[in-house]
Amino acid sequence: MQKIEKSEREWRAELTPDQYRILREKGTEPAFTGEYDHVFEPGTYRCAGCGTELFSSDTKYDSGCGWPAFFAPASEDAIEEERDASLGMVRTEVLCAACGGHLGHVFPDGPQPTGQRYCINSAALELDEK
């Protein structure tokens, strides 16, 4: 996947303040406040920073965690994962593989067939409805 590189000035000009805080500064939105937490329309979820296809509505489910949850990414190369030891715990951070934007975290307590719960910030996503 081709990497998208922009200056922080460019990112600030293109993103809303919430998108910038989450995607570029690894922030999060409060639980149960995101636009897509309870949206289940068919479509494709793309990175709000660069438009890369990240998740399909076919893999979205209501996990009750307060953020949009998916059991699989759109493709293996859509996301990257990194160890996150912030906040006194160890988690697996999920990043957009194209622009490096912080999306959320993945946990091993999701439904089958993957057993994964990709817990993603709504502000990091844009839904292209079918």
Side-chain angles (χ1 to χ4, degrees), residues 13-68:
E14 294 176 16
L15 301 171
T16 68
D18 277 344
Q19 289 172 330
Y20 183 86
R21 183 178 56 78
I22 290 167
L23 288 163
R24 308 316 307 169
E25 296 178 333
K26 301 181 184 276
T28 192
E29 58 203 10
F32 304 103
T33 64
E35 176 181 4
Y36 299 124
D37 183 25
H38 285 99
V39 170
F40 294 95
E41 302 303 319
T44 300
Y45 288 86
R46 297 184 177 280
C47 177
C50 69
T52 297
E53 183 177 339
L54 299 173
F55 298 95
S56 167
S57 62
D58 294 340
T59 65
K60 190 172 189 295
Y61 69 102
D62 186 1
S63 71
C65 70
W67 292 270

Side-chain angles (χ1 to χ4, degrees), residues 72-106:
S75 67
E76 288 184 24
D77 62 346
I79 63 165
E80 293 179 347
E81 297 179 6
E82 291 185 1
R83 183 178 185 268
D84 176 3
S86 65
L87 304 176
M89 63 184 110
V90 177
R91 301 176 290 172
T92 302
E93 179 183 8
V94 180
L95 305 156
C96 173
C99 72
H102 170 78
L103 304 172
H105 293 85
V106 61

Side-chain angles (χ1 to χ4, degrees), residues 114-126:
T114 65
Q116 299 297 300
R117 173 173 53 97
Y118 290 86
C119 188
I120 307 298
N121 290 285
S122 287
L125 302 171
E126 290 182 350

